[in-house]
Amino acid sequence: MKKKYLLLLILFSILLSCKREGDNIFNQFTDVKVTLHQENEFSIGTYKDVASGDSIYVDFTISSASKDMHQVWIFYNGAGAAALKIPLADGEKRSFRYVYKIKADKVGLTTFRIMAVDSEGVFMGDGYTSVTYNVVSDYAHLNNRVLYMPDSTAQSSACFIDLMEGKTYTYAEAKANAGKIDLGMYRTYKVEANGAITYSYNIYSLQASPIPFKAFDFTDLSGKGRATYFSGIQTNQASTFLNTLTSGTVIQNNAISRKTTNLSLNDLKVGSMFYFKTPDEKYGVVIVNALSGYDNNRYLNISIKRQN
């Protein structure tokens, strides 16, 4: 029995003697250092809150103590490739200073690293330093607002909306709050030659003249309603709405380029998008998420992004 225990002890000692530890990543790439300079108001260090549209300067020096650098890469977290690759001249391969300029146009946190690679594209180090800037939100995202088809008899359907708050209103509520109403919605239909019925979903501002939906009487609101203007309709814009229109500044620039001059729009589809301008010069954008054609549940589902 003692012999058996002795053999087990010897085997355990052999296993311990074979144990190896991997390289420590925190001291494996110490040759490269990154220094961030903050010599003017636009330059940031490792973190800064900025407003949408701000200019950001990242003034840095990257150096290598013992090996030549071939390129300097700017690499954003989560990206599949470097956003910028800077080839280095002979006099820059041990120490290189550069000012990387960015336009703050996407709300939220963005982080990138400044790294060196050798002539074979092998990572040499990033000084264990990252740069993060936070673009403070200058817009609101109001998701999944539902407008129901107007009911000219009971007049109880919420077929009007305030695009700034995302609140919907019935006809009576809209008349009492005309200064808040940005658009009303209605539906028309057409009987095709084959007997099929096709529907058209339409919107209008209370300043449209004449108001295209005739079932409601707005004569006593003449000149009092809120004058909200719309751009033309763009189709299949779900990706643009979600991924491109990511700040109030971007929304405004796109809205201006699309010319918000219409007081009504016709034939909205799923994926349709249009910009709007309110009387107080606030810009926004609307995407159509869903349409329902059922007579007992007819609605238009939209999402809104608008400037603060």
Side-chain angles (χ1 to χ4, degrees):
M1 183 64 71
K2 288 183 179 180
K3 185 176 181 181
K4 180 179 179 181
Y5 284 141
L6 181 61
L7 288 173
L8 287 173
L9 182 61
I10 293 170
L11 179 60
F12 184 65
S13 299
I14 291 172
L15 289 173
L16 285 178
S17 67
C18 294
K19 180 182 177 182
R20 293 184 59 192
E21 292 188 2
D23 294 330
N24 185 348
I25 193 171
F26 293 105
N27 57 32
Q28 192 175 359
F29 301 104
T30 56
D31 201 47
V32 172
K33 297 189 182 303
V34 174
T35 303
L36 299 171
H37 311 285
Q38 293 178 264
E39 298 176 1
N40 63 59
E41 60 179 316
F42 299 115
S43 297
I44 67 173
T46 56
Y47 180 91
K48 189 175 183 180
D49 291 324
V50 297
S52 177
D54 279 359
S55 294
I56 302 170
Y57 291 0
V58 183
D59 185 355
F60 68 87
T61 297
I62 185 167
S63 60
S64 174
S66 61
K67 184 179 178 181
D68 283 354
M69 302 179 291
H70 182 68
Q71 288 186 340
V72 172
W73 290 3
I74 304 294
F75 205 100
Y76 283 83
N77 285 8
L84 179 65
K85 296 182 178 181
I86 309 169
L88 300 182
D90 287 341
E92 300 170 331
K93 294 189 175 184
R94 288 300 181 92
S95 181
F96 174 68
R97 185 167 180 174
Y98 188 79
V99 179
Y100 178 49
K101 298 179 181 179
I102 312 161
K103 190 79 167 179
D105 59 3
K106 184 176 182 180
V107 168
L109 293 170
T110 300
T111 299
F112 64 87
R113 294 176 296 142
I114 304 160
M115 61 178 64
V117 298
D118 63 19
S119 58
E120 296 179 352
V122 176
F123 174 75
M124 295 174 59
D126 59 7
Y128 299 99
T129 301
S130 63
V131 177
T132 299
Y133 60 92
N134 178 36
V135 182
V136 179
S137 180
D138 64 344
Y139 78 100
H141 186 179
L142 310 174
N143 218 6
N144 291 317
R145 276 14 186 211
V146 178
L147 288 166
Y148 291 94
M149 294 302 129
D151 175 5
S152 57
T153 303
Q155 300 179 349
S156 59
S157 297
C159 52
F160 298 91
I161 190 168
D162 165 5
L163 293 174
M164 300 308 289
E165 300 298 330
K167 183 179 178 181
T168 57
Y169 298 81
T170 65
Y171 168 59
E173 292 168 338
K175 288 187 69 175
N177 297 275
K180 295 182 179 180
I181 304 302
D182 290 299
L183 66 86
M185 185 268 291
Y186 67 104
R187 188 180 74 169
T188 56
Y189 71 92
K190 179 174 69 173
V191 180
E192 304 293 347
N194 61 2
I197 297 176
T198 57
Y199 294 101
S200 176
Y201 292 79
N202 317 298
I203 63 166
Y204 61 94
S205 166
L206 292 187
Q207 281 295 301
S209 181
I211 287 181
F213 184 65
K214 306 297 185 181
F216 291 153
D217 180 11
F218 283 103
T219 54
D220 58 337
L221 293 180
S222 178
K224 299 178 183 177
R226 184 171 168 86
T228 299
Y229 289 87
F230 315 115
S231 72
I233 297 171
Q234 296 174 266
T235 58
N236 301 315
Q237 295 295 304
S239 178
T240 299
F241 182 85
L242 182 64
N243 301 312
T244 302
L245 303 175
T246 54
S247 76
T249 302
V250 173
I251 291 168
Q252 176 176 327
N253 290 340
N254 279 271
I256 292 172
S257 71
R258 295 293 300 183
K259 296 182 173 57
T260 47
T261 58
N262 302 295
L263 287 168
S264 63
L265 295 175
N266 297 320
D267 203 17
L268 295 169
K269 309 289 188 184
V270 173
S272 290
M273 187 178 79
F274 60 89
Y275 297 92
F276 64 88
K277 181 181 71 172
T278 66
D280 50 350
E281 299 290 324
K282 293 289 187 180
Y283 290 90
V285 61
V286 173
I287 186 83
V288 177
N289 301 313
L291 300 169
S292 171
Y294 295 106
D295 285 342
N296 62 345
N297 194 24
R298 298 166 295 166
Y299 64 80
L300 174 70
N301 181 299
I302 63 174
S303 290
I304 305 155
K305 288 182 178 180
R306 54 85 174 158
Q307 291 178 305
N308 288 335

